[in-house]
Amino acid sequence: MAADTETDRTSVVTYVPSHQKTEWKNHAADLGMTQAEFIRTMVQAGRKDFTLETENPVEPDSPTTDPGGDDLESQVLDALESNDALSWDELVKSLSSDFEDRLESCLEALQRQNRIQYSGRNGGYTTIDQ
């Protein structure tokens, strides 16, 4: 039987100072990620700086259906491996919580930079005229 390169997985082993592993482990926990998910995400994020600027940046030879780098497949597998089974709603909630955290952080940063503000009068966030 031929190997399916789309679903084959392999391990990567690396050695780092113990303080660095501890820092990565804590950061992963803060983000609600497994250590493996955290490291994959950070490596993929770093690789984006090494691709050519194009209208639709693509990772070379990406085996995923999301060659831009979000790697949804790994996130789904990690969520399912951490649980016995997840319903559609549970899986959506598991995968979307990261987005809500990122959005909140982004909104807080934009408010600190005085680029946006919350306007009760307008019923939501608005940009601040510079």
Side-chain angles (χ1 to χ4, degrees):
M1 179 180 224
D4 182 357
T5 58
E6 298 264 339
T7 58
D8 283 353
R9 293 175 65 117
T10 187
S11 65
V12 175
V13 177
T14 187
Y15 296 91
V16 297
S18 59
H19 74 284
Q20 188 172 36
K21 180 180 179 185
T22 300
E23 184 178 327
W24 289 354
K25 183 178 179 180
N26 292 338
H27 196 175
D30 290 345
L31 295 172
M33 302 169 106
T34 65
Q35 289 179 60
E37 179 183 16
F38 175 78
I39 291 169
R40 278 193 305 272
T41 301
M42 294 301 112
V43 169
Q44 290 303 98
R47 288 186 66 221
K48 288 183 179 185
D49 291 339
F50 297 103
T51 58
L52 297 175
E53 293 292 326
T54 63
E55 187 173 319
N56 295 311
V58 173
E59 297 168 11
D61 303 319
S62 175
T64 69
T65 56
D66 184 13
D70 287 340
D71 199 13
L72 182 59
E73 291 85 358
S74 292
Q75 293 178 35
V76 168
L77 289 171
D78 285 342
L80 293 174
E81 289 169 358
S82 300
N83 298 279
D84 291 334
L86 292 174
S87 69
W88 173 267
D89 291 337
E90 292 168 329
L91 194 53
V92 168
K93 183 179 179 183
S94 168
L95 298 173
S96 65
S97 65
D98 177 54
F99 173 76
E100 291 174 356
D101 294 342
R102 290 175 32 222
L103 176 59
E104 182 178 25
S105 294
C106 177
L107 291 172
E108 289 171 353
L110 289 170
Q111 288 179 90
R112 281 192 305 273
Q113 297 166 10
N114 290 321
R115 295 177 62 194
I116 66 169
Q117 65 185 5
Y118 183 81
S119 170
R121 183 179 205 180
N122 292 320
Y125 293 94
T126 61
T127 56
I128 297 175
D129 295 330
Q130 299 292 324

